[in-house]
Amino acid sequence: MSLSDLRNSLPDYAKDLKLNLDSVLSDAGAQGLDGKQIRAIALASAIASRYQPLVAAIEAFAAEQLSPEELDGTRAAAAVMAMNNIYYRATHLIQNQEYGQLRAGLRMNIMANPGIDKMSFELASLAVSAINGCGACMDSHERVLRKHEISALGVQSALKIGAVVHAVAVTLEQHAA
């Protein structure tokens, strides 16, 4: 099913999601980002949202501008954040500060050479971290992005893409059930 078909299958009560999806996946609605970044963030967000029909539709949308290596880099961002967000959210939320001081010992080699440009990887990681609710990871990725001159509007756009894609996934999954 295409992204357009999925958008059109959203129920009437989710009209705002239909409008927002069109907006955040466009250059005009995702200020501070380019087309490749928009697609990488959308795909990583769909993967994190776990609704397979939406993942497939956004993957087709992303493939319009991303190479196979860049698609894998985006998948890698979603994969490593699925691990990191759980670990770092837990060590941040546990009241015993000792856990935050311990070496994680989790392999994250993909971050050195993810297959997609570093800022797209960071933007995708930020959006996935927002979906997964990891404040420590969001802070870390936001700092890297701002250090590398991604604007506040670019960061906001990544967060909006993650929010809308996740809301669409939740709504479609519930509506299909």
Side-chain angles (χ1 to χ4, degrees):
M1 194 178 293
S2 74
L3 187 54
S4 180
D5 291 337
L6 283 174
R7 182 183 44 76
N8 291 335
S9 71
L10 284 163
D12 289 341
Y13 64 79
K15 181 179 180 183
D16 288 330
L17 295 182
K18 291 179 186 183
L19 299 171
N20 287 330
L21 186 62
D22 286 342
S23 176
V24 301
L25 297 183
S26 72
D27 290 342
Q31 294 180 12
L33 303 176
D34 64 31
K36 283 188 171 196
Q37 291 168 332
I38 292 166
R39 284 159 174 77
I41 297 161
L43 178 56
S45 297
I47 293 167
S49 299
R50 302 180 184 152
Y51 185 62
Q52 189 54 42
L54 184 61
V55 173
I58 290 184
E59 189 168 321
F61 168 72
E64 294 171 3
Q65 290 191 20
L66 299 179
S67 71
E69 294 79 19
E70 290 168 326
L71 290 168
D72 278 348
T74 300
R75 291 181 193 106
V80 77
M81 287 304 107
M83 172 184 70
N84 287 354
N85 293 159
I86 299 300
Y87 178 79
Y88 288 107
R89 183 177 64 219
T91 60
H92 177 75
L93 290 173
I94 292 173
Q95 295 298 309
N96 185 338
Q97 298 299 312
E98 182 178 2
Y99 297 107
Q101 304 302 314
L102 297 173
R103 183 179 171 280
L106 298 172
R107 294 195 183 272
M108 296 176 257
N109 296 332
I110 193 65
M111 294 176 85
N113 186 14
I116 193 166
D117 72 272
K118 181 70 171 159
M119 290 307 98
S120 294
F121 185 88
E122 290 289 332
L123 287 159
S125 297
L126 173 71
V128 171
S129 296
I131 290 167
N132 291 334
C134 183
C137 292
M138 285 186 281
D139 283 342
S140 175
H141 294 293
E142 188 272 346
R143 277 192 305 274
V144 170
L145 289 162
R146 296 307 304 270
K147 180 180 172 184
H148 287 91
E149 300 183 5
I150 299 295
S151 69
L153 284 174
V155 169
Q156 180 193 40
S157 291
L159 295 171
K160 291 188 327 186
I161 292 167
V164 171
V165 168
H166 182 70
V168 168
V170 168
T171 304
L172 287 172
E173 183 177 40
Q174 293 305 308
H175 187 66

